[in-house]
Amino acid sequence: AVLTVKRRDGNRYEGVPVVVTDPAKLEVTGGNLHCATPNLARCLKEYAGGGFDRKVAVVCKPCDARAIIELAKRKQVNLENLLLIGLNCTGTMLPNVAKRMYIEEFGIDPADVKMERIFPPGNKFFAVLNDGREIERDLTELEAKGFGRRENCRRCEINIPRMADIACGKWGTHGRPVSFVEICSDKGAAFWDEAVNAGVVNTEEPGSDIIQEREKFDQAAIQMAREWQDKLFGTYRQMDRAARVAFWFDQFNQCIKCYGCRDACPICYCRECRLDAGRGTVPEGEVPPGALFGLTRAMHVADSCVNCGQCQDVCPANIPLSSLIGMIQQEIQAIFNYEPGVNPAQRPPLAVIEPGEVDIHSISLAFN
């Protein structure tokens, strides 16, 4: 089977996950869907068998691929039966935000938009219309107004999904109707060789200019992400300790305990959640549930969060959950040298005991 995304009734602002078993039905899933944010990793685990009962090819963005790898480390999906087909990504947009942007900033009907293009070296955003015209805007200016990409996408540094088996994209193609495909694993190489030998794809070696252009695009996108990190995280980090505590407690006081953040998170997998009412952490019937609810969830996923932004997308109180966890994770990465979902062979920080830790006599270790 193939787990991928298609437009609902042809509407490019409504992308829904689909499991396809008939090759003839795959073609309708092609095309540009910047304005869809499907939770593919959670769909794979919850509804598509996780690769335990059959082989599944998953067409995924970098954050989807990373979430799947983190789930595999926790035995929630079977990576052996999965083929990850990664797509280059410099960000997605929330459908309603995109529609409002086209109306208010571009002065066009959202239905007239055929696709979008993001050009990192020039920091430009292009809307390609159905009649072939392109309309250009400065991406930073758009996003400073609250339009453009989702917040988590703006600060994401991983644009080419090299943790997948193959990584596909348009960078380096000079506008030609082809895709640049990078082979990232032995499984990806075997898959690609079979496709070539079967005659279903034609290939050519990329020249050095194409490879350099692709790298130029990637480095420009990474620089954009770091600038947004400075803006988004800088506001919080400039606060003194008391102001920061007051800010986050005020945010958590808006929580209505809908559990949307937990239920949308692709990494949360516990069958019995410690945050369920009546389990000793969150009192039954209490709204808001107190800061312990949000802080506990943040710490539970901080070592495995892949910056997909699903928690923040679904929060009806607009709490900047993804930003909080993202800041915590930067600290964790510096301590443990661990970036979630990037290296399938690297175990999570809390699953590994380093030799130096065993020699700390003030800590008792129990081994099962």
mmCIF file of all heavy atoms in Angstrom, residues 6-26:
data_model
loop_
_atom_site.group_PDB
_atom_site.id
_atom_site.type_symbol
_atom_site.label_atom_id
_atom_site.label_comp_id
_atom_site.label_asym_id
_atom_site.label_seq_id
_atom_site.Cartn_x
_atom_site.Cartn_y
_atom_site.Cartn_z
ATOM 1 N N LYS A 6 -4.313 13.354 -0.707
ATOM 2 C CA LYS A 6 -4.976 13.842 -1.917
ATOM 3 C C LYS A 6 -5.958 14.947 -1.550
ATOM 4 O O LYS A 6 -6.323 15.128 -0.385
ATOM 5 C CB LYS A 6 -5.715 12.707 -2.638
ATOM 6 C CG LYS A 6 -7.017 12.262 -1.989
ATOM 7 C CD LYS A 6 -7.785 11.309 -2.902
ATOM 8 C CE LYS A 6 -9.145 10.943 -2.322
ATOM 9 N NZ LYS A 6 -9.901 10.058 -3.231
ATOM 10 N N ARG A 7 -6.367 15.694 -2.556
ATOM 11 C CA ARG A 7 -7.329 16.771 -2.342
ATOM 12 C C ARG A 7 -8.712 16.179 -2.100
ATOM 13 O O ARG A 7 -9.113 15.234 -2.775
ATOM 14 C CB ARG A 7 -7.373 17.689 -3.559
ATOM 15 C CG ARG A 7 -6.015 18.216 -3.962
ATOM 16 C CD ARG A 7 -6.104 19.074 -5.205
ATOM 17 N NE ARG A 7 -4.775 19.445 -5.668
ATOM 18 C CZ ARG A 7 -4.531 20.413 -6.542
ATOM 19 N NH1 ARG A 7 -5.539 21.082 -7.065
ATOM 20 N NH2 ARG A 7 -3.298 20.689 -6.901
ATOM 21 N N ARG A 8 -9.429 16.765 -1.165
ATOM 22 C CA ARG A 8 -10.815 16.348 -0.947
ATOM 23 C C ARG A 8 -11.698 17.052 -1.979
ATOM 24 O O ARG A 8 -11.776 18.286 -2.001
ATOM 25 C CB ARG A 8 -11.273 16.716 0.467
ATOM 26 C CG ARG A 8 -12.636 16.126 0.840
ATOM 27 C CD ARG A 8 -13.273 16.886 1.989
ATOM 28 N NE ARG A 8 -12.446 16.920 3.186
ATOM 29 C CZ ARG A 8 -12.493 16.004 4.143
ATOM 30 N NH1 ARG A 8 -13.302 14.978 4.046
ATOM 31 N NH2 ARG A 8 -11.713 16.122 5.215
ATOM 32 N N ASP A 9 -12.324 16.265 -2.836
ATOM 33 C CA ASP A 9 -13.201 16.804 -3.883
ATOM 34 C C ASP A 9 -12.501 17.862 -4.732
ATOM 35 O O ASP A 9 -13.118 18.847 -5.159
ATOM 36 C CB ASP A 9 -14.481 17.391 -3.262
ATOM 37 C CG ASP A 9 -15.281 16.363 -2.490
ATOM 38 O OD1 ASP A 9 -15.291 15.197 -2.917
ATOM 39 O OD2 ASP A 9 -15.876 16.713 -1.459
ATOM 40 N N GLY A 10 -11.207 17.674 -4.966
ATOM 41 C CA GLY A 10 -10.482 18.601 -5.815
ATOM 42 C C GLY A 10 -10.092 19.905 -5.152
ATOM 43 O O GLY A 10 -9.507 20.784 -5.798
ATOM 44 N N ASN A 11 -10.402 20.069 -3.868
ATOM 45 C CA ASN A 11 -10.122 21.321 -3.165
ATOM 46 C C ASN A 11 -8.681 21.292 -2.643
ATOM 47 O O ASN A 11 -8.354 20.503 -1.763
ATOM 48 C CB ASN A 11 -11.107 21.498 -2.004
ATOM 49 C CG ASN A 11 -10.943 22.831 -1.294
ATOM 50 O OD1 ASN A 11 -9.961 23.531 -1.474
ATOM 51 N ND2 ASN A 11 -11.933 23.173 -0.489
ATOM 52 N N ARG A 12 -7.818 22.149 -3.167
ATOM 53 C CA ARG A 12 -6.407 22.139 -2.779
ATOM 54 C C ARG A 12 -6.179 22.642 -1.355
ATOM 55 O O ARG A 12 -5.066 22.562 -0.838
ATOM 56 C CB ARG A 12 -5.573 22.955 -3.758
ATOM 57 C CG ARG A 12 -5.911 24.440 -3.786
ATOM 58 C CD ARG A 12 -5.118 25.136 -4.882
ATOM 59 N NE ARG A 12 -3.691 24.937 -4.719
ATOM 60 C CZ ARG A 12 -2.916 25.694 -3.953
ATOM 61 N NH1 ARG A 12 -3.447 26.669 -3.263
ATOM 62 N NH2 ARG A 12 -1.626 25.469 -3.871
ATOM 63 N N TYR A 13 -7.191 23.189 -0.714
ATOM 64 C CA TYR A 13 -7.074 23.632 0.675
ATOM 65 C C TYR A 13 -7.541 22.556 1.653
ATOM 66 O O TYR A 13 -7.570 22.787 2.860
ATOM 67 C CB TYR A 13 -7.862 24.932 0.886
ATOM 68 C CG TYR A 13 -7.366 26.049 0.003
ATOM 69 C CD1 TYR A 13 -7.988 26.344 -1.202
ATOM 70 C CD2 TYR A 13 -6.233 26.789 0.350
ATOM 71 C CE1 TYR A 13 -7.519 27.353 -2.032
ATOM 72 C CE2 TYR A 13 -5.762 27.798 -0.474
ATOM 73 C CZ TYR A 13 -6.406 28.074 -1.656
ATOM 74 O OH TYR A 13 -5.923 29.069 -2.485
ATOM 75 N N GLU A 14 -7.918 21.412 1.141
ATOM 76 C CA GLU A 14 -8.331 20.292 1.991
ATOM 77 C C GLU A 14 -7.597 19.032 1.536
ATOM 78 O O GLU A 14 -8.033 18.343 0.618
ATOM 79 C CB GLU A 14 -9.852 20.082 1.924
ATOM 80 C CG GLU A 14 -10.655 21.230 2.515
ATOM 81 C CD GLU A 14 -12.126 20.897 2.615
ATOM 82 O OE1 GLU A 14 -12.471 19.711 2.761
ATOM 83 O OE2 GLU A 14 -12.949 21.829 2.533
ATOM 84 N N GLY A 15 -6.466 18.760 2.162
ATOM 85 C CA GLY A 15 -5.703 17.557 1.851
ATOM 86 C C GLY A 15 -5.967 16.492 2.893
ATOM 87 O O GLY A 15 -5.842 16.746 4.099
ATOM 88 N N VAL A 16 -6.351 15.320 2.476
ATOM 89 C CA VAL A 16 -6.694 14.247 3.408
ATOM 90 C C VAL A 16 -5.801 13.025 3.161
ATOM 91 O O VAL A 16 -5.466 12.703 2.018
ATOM 92 C CB VAL A 16 -8.180 13.843 3.281
ATOM 93 C CG1 VAL A 16 -9.069 14.990 3.693
ATOM 94 C CG2 VAL A 16 -8.514 13.419 1.860
ATOM 95 N N PRO A 17 -5.391 12.335 4.222
ATOM 96 C CA PRO A 17 -4.589 11.117 4.059
ATOM 97 C C PRO A 17 -5.408 10.005 3.408
ATOM 98 O O PRO A 17 -6.603 9.860 3.691
ATOM 99 C CB PRO A 17 -4.201 10.742 5.492
ATOM 100 C CG PRO A 17 -4.449 11.962 6.309
ATOM 101 C CD PRO A 17 -5.573 12.678 5.641
ATOM 102 N N VAL A 18 -4.769 9.232 2.542
ATOM 103 C CA VAL A 18 -5.419 8.098 1.895
ATOM 104 C C VAL A 18 -4.449 6.920 1.832
ATOM 105 O O VAL A 18 -3.240 7.112 1.714
ATOM 106 C CB VAL A 18 -5.910 8.432 0.465
ATOM 107 C CG1 VAL A 18 -7.068 9.392 0.495
ATOM 108 C CG2 VAL A 18 -4.775 8.993 -0.385
ATOM 109 N N VAL A 19 -4.985 5.722 1.947
ATOM 110 C CA VAL A 19 -4.208 4.505 1.736
ATOM 111 C C VAL A 19 -4.594 3.949 0.371
ATOM 112 O O VAL A 19 -5.770 3.640 0.138
ATOM 113 C CB VAL A 19 -4.475 3.464 2.845
ATOM 114 C CG1 VAL A 19 -3.745 2.162 2.537
ATOM 115 C CG2 VAL A 19 -4.027 4.010 4.200
ATOM 116 N N VAL A 20 -3.632 3.845 -0.531
ATOM 117 C CA VAL A 20 -3.898 3.435 -1.909
ATOM 118 C C VAL A 20 -3.266 2.062 -2.143
ATOM 119 O O VAL A 20 -2.080 1.855 -1.870
ATOM 120 C CB VAL A 20 -3.324 4.461 -2.902
ATOM 121 C CG1 VAL A 20 -3.634 4.045 -4.339
ATOM 122 C CG2 VAL A 20 -3.877 5.853 -2.626
ATOM 123 N N THR A 21 -4.052 1.135 -2.643
ATOM 124 C CA THR A 21 -3.533 -0.198 -2.969
ATOM 125 C C THR A 21 -3.597 -0.490 -4.466
ATOM 126 O O THR A 21 -3.035 -1.485 -4.913
ATOM 127 C CB THR A 21 -4.338 -1.276 -2.223
ATOM 128 O OG1 THR A 21 -5.726 -1.139 -2.538
ATOM 129 C CG2 THR A 21 -4.158 -1.141 -0.712
ATOM 130 N N ASP A 22 -4.267 0.369 -5.234
ATOM 131 C CA ASP A 22 -4.369 0.213 -6.681
ATOM 132 C C ASP A 22 -3.487 1.251 -7.358
ATOM 133 O O ASP A 22 -3.733 2.460 -7.254
ATOM 134 C CB ASP A 22 -5.832 0.404 -7.121
ATOM 135 C CG ASP A 22 -6.021 0.226 -8.616
ATOM 136 O OD1 ASP A 22 -5.019 0.024 -9.335
ATOM 137 O OD2 ASP A 22 -7.176 0.312 -9.075
ATOM 138 N N PRO A 23 -2.414 0.822 -8.053
ATOM 139 C CA PRO A 23 -1.506 1.786 -8.687
ATOM 140 C C PRO A 23 -2.219 2.772 -9.610
ATOM 141 O O PRO A 23 -1.782 3.923 -9.738
ATOM 142 C CB PRO A 23 -0.538 0.891 -9.475
ATOM 143 C CG PRO A 23 -0.560 -0.419 -8.752
ATOM 144 C CD PRO A 23 -1.962 -0.579 -8.243
ATOM 145 N N ALA A 24 -3.308 2.348 -10.215
ATOM 146 C CA ALA A 24 -4.029 3.223 -11.141
ATOM 147 C C ALA A 24 -4.646 4.426 -10.438
ATOM 148 O O ALA A 24 -4.957 5.430 -11.074
ATOM 149 C CB ALA A 24 -5.116 2.433 -11.868
ATOM 150 N N LYS A 25 -4.807 4.316 -9.104
ATOM 151 C CA LYS A 25 -5.443 5.405 -8.356
ATOM 152 C C LYS A 25 -4.432 6.359 -7.713
ATOM 153 O O LYS A 25 -4.816 7.283 -6.997
ATOM 154 C CB LYS A 25 -6.352 4.815 -7.276
ATOM 155 C CG LYS A 25 -7.520 4.014 -7.845
ATOM 156 C CD LYS A 25 -8.409 3.471 -6.735
ATOM 157 C CE LYS A 25 -9.588 2.694 -7.318
ATOM 158 N NZ LYS A 25 -10.463 2.138 -6.251
ATOM 159 N N LEU A 26 -3.155 6.135 -7.989
ATOM 160 C CA LEU A 26 -2.134 6.987 -7.376
ATOM 161 C C LEU A 26 -2.025 8.362 -8.026
ATOM 162 O O LEU A 26 -1.683 9.341 -7.377
ATOM 163 C CB LEU A 26 -0.772 6.300 -7.436
ATOM 164 C CG LEU A 26 -0.377 5.445 -6.235
ATOM 165 C CD1 LEU A 26 0.982 4.802 -6.481
ATOM 166 C CD2 LEU A 26 -0.338 6.270 -4.958
#
